[in-house]
Amino acid sequence: MIKSMTGYGIGSADNGTVKYTVEIKSLNSKFLELNLRLPKAVSDKELFLRGECSKLIERGKVNINISTEYVDQTAKGASINAELLKAYYVQLQEIATQLGDSKTNLFEQALNMPEVISHDDEVDEEEGNVLTSAFYAAVEKFNTFRKDEGNVLKQDLQHRVELILSHLTEVESVEGSRIPLIRERINQYMEEAVGKENVDMNRFEQELVFYIEKLDITEEKVRLRSHCNYFIDALNGADSNGKKLGFISQEMGREINTLGSKANNAQIQQIVVKMKDELEKVKEQLLNVL
């Protein structure tokens, strides 16, 4: 099952005293680019959280924001910056007066302003467990989101590759007339250039065989079909491996390009253009696959 690199998840946990909320967002990236924002009080958990992210999230441009909400704002380990609280309160009063707003909860708003309340002490084991519970809850929802998005990507990718296989069948349906037409055209050129009576037919047939062998696309068709089937098998595998699918799509592109260059037939080359168009859409979608 493939996963999308785009994801979102939010989780929270509390123990009656403190509540942690973890929000995870991600976009596509070749590597894990992690931006982790967490309260100073739990900064000692950063290395642990980064290690878990590398295992559980793997790749992507990931932003994780961790917020803390204390039920008792004056819980142990917490201190209030009185001067900063007063400054915030005065500024809020002035702004409310200028706007003609008669709000009565200015003190509560000032109390919740940045750095008014600080928690100097490190969190204990119980509070650390609350944080990890919120983190794992967010990761679970985040990965569920990725799987759901991945299922949509899978359906689109499989549809595109099946279209390439369908176009390959079209190539085979028109290929039968290709070699006789080439033989007839070259024969006509030779007769017009030197005259039929001056053509050494034995030598002509030998050279024609060598030329037609260079235009044979049997190997390219076989390899392209094999790569497409391998792509679909990998797509339906148990693991999500966008890099592997990317490598297979590159091999598909090589066979399609070679097929087009050797076709020497306008109708086949038009079909090859359709294949290339579908393959480009596949490659664009693979940028979002984990």
Side-chain angles (χ1 to χ4, degrees), residues 145-195:
F145 187 103
R146 275 184 156 184
K147 289 177 183 177
D148 293 341
E149 288 288 307
N151 189 47
V152 175
L153 287 174
K154 172 190 168 184
Q155 293 176 12
D156 184 70
L157 288 167
Q158 184 159 337
H159 173 65
R160 301 293 177 193
V161 175
E162 287 173 350
L163 282 176
I164 292 174
L165 287 170
S166 175
H167 292 322
L168 182 58
T169 303
E170 290 180 47
V171 169
E172 292 172 333
S173 68
V174 301
E175 186 189 3
S177 61
R178 184 173 68 106
I179 298 303
L181 287 174
I182 292 173
R183 180 188 294 271
E184 181 181 347
R185 188 166 65 245
I186 294 176
N187 190 40
Q188 183 179 352
Y189 288 159
M190 288 294 294
E191 290 181 3
E192 291 176 355
V194 298

Side-chain angles (χ1 to χ4, degrees), residues 215-256:
L215 299 179
D216 183 62
I217 57 174
T218 302
E219 290 185 12
E220 285 74 20
K221 292 187 300 178
V222 170
R223 285 196 292 263
L224 178 56
R225 179 170 280 109
S226 175
H227 292 326
C228 288
N229 290 330
Y230 185 33
F231 186 97
I232 293 174
D233 288 343
L235 198 61
N236 290 286
D239 299 324
S240 179
N241 196 331
K243 290 182 178 180
K244 180 179 180 179
L245 293 172
F247 295 146
I248 300 172
S249 69
Q250 289 177 9
E251 295 302 318
M252 290 164 59
R254 290 190 182 95
E255 300 306 329
I256 291 173

Side-chain angles (χ1 to χ4, degrees), residues 37-248:
R37 297 177 61 190
L38 70 169
K40 184 178 180 181
V42 291
S43 58
D44 62 318
K45 301 291 183 182
E46 181 173 355
L47 288 178
F48 168 76
L49 294 175
R50 286 186 178 275
E52 291 298 286
C53 287
S54 65
K55 292 187 292 184
L56 300 174
I57 296 177
E58 298 179 49
R59 285 197 298 144
K61 188 174 183 180
V62 184
N63 287 298
I64 300 180
N65 185 54
I66 300 175
S67 59
T68 314
E69 181 182 343
Y70 283 87
V71 177
D72 181 3
Q73 294 284 11
T74 59
K76 81 177 177 64
S79 60
I80 297 177
N81 187 329
E83 294 301 320
L84 186 59
L85 174 60
K86 292 176 185 177
Y88 278 135
Y89 185 74
V90 170
Q91 291 180 52
L92 287 171
Q93 278 186 320
E94 292 176 353
I95 294 171
T97 301
Q98 292 173 9
L99 297 176
D101 190 351
S102 58
K103 288 186 177 294
T104 58
N105 60 345
L106 295 180
F107 179 79
E108 182 181 346
Q109 292 182 15
L111 195 62
N112 289 317
M113 295 296 280
E115 299 183 10
V116 170
I117 297 177
S118 59
H119 302 273
D120 301 322
D121 296 341
E122 291 186 359
V123 299
D124 56 22
E125 183 178 353
E126 181 184 356
E127 189 170 332
N129 291 336
V130 175
L131 170 60
T132 55
S133 295
F135 172 75
Y136 288 129
V139 169
E140 183 178 357
K141 292 179 181 178
F142 173 79
N143 281 326
T144 298
F145 187 103
R146 275 184 156 184
K147 289 177 183 177
D148 293 341
E149 288 288 307
N151 189 47
V152 175
L153 287 174
K154 172 190 168 184
Q155 293 176 12
D156 184 70
L157 288 167
Q158 184 159 337
H159 173 65
R160 301 293 177 193
V161 175
E162 287 173 350
L163 282 176
I164 292 174
L165 287 170
S166 175
H167 292 322
L168 182 58
T169 303
E170 290 180 47
V171 169
E172 292 172 333
S173 68
V174 301
E175 186 189 3
S177 61
R178 184 173 68 106
I179 298 303
L181 287 174
I182 292 173
R183 180 188 294 271
E184 181 181 347
R185 188 166 65 245
I186 294 176
N187 190 40
Q188 183 179 352
Y189 288 159
M190 288 294 294
E191 290 181 3
E192 291 176 355
V194 298
K196 186 175 182 179
E197 64 281 358
N198 296 320
V199 176
D200 184 341
M201 296 307 296
N202 289 330
R203 180 63 183 275
F204 174 72
E205 289 296 331
Q206 289 176 357
E207 295 295 334
L208 191 60
V209 167
F210 292 142
Y211 179 70
I212 290 175
E213 282 181 351
K214 292 181 180 180
L215 299 179
D216 183 62
I217 57 174
T218 302
E219 290 185 12
E220 285 74 20
K221 292 187 300 178
V222 170
R223 285 196 292 263
L224 178 56
R225 179 170 280 109
S226 175
H227 292 326
C228 288
N229 290 330
Y230 185 33
F231 186 97
I232 293 174
D233 288 343
L235 198 61
N236 290 286
D239 299 324
S240 179
N241 196 331
K243 290 182 178 180
K244 180 179 180 179
L245 293 172
F247 295 146
I248 300 172

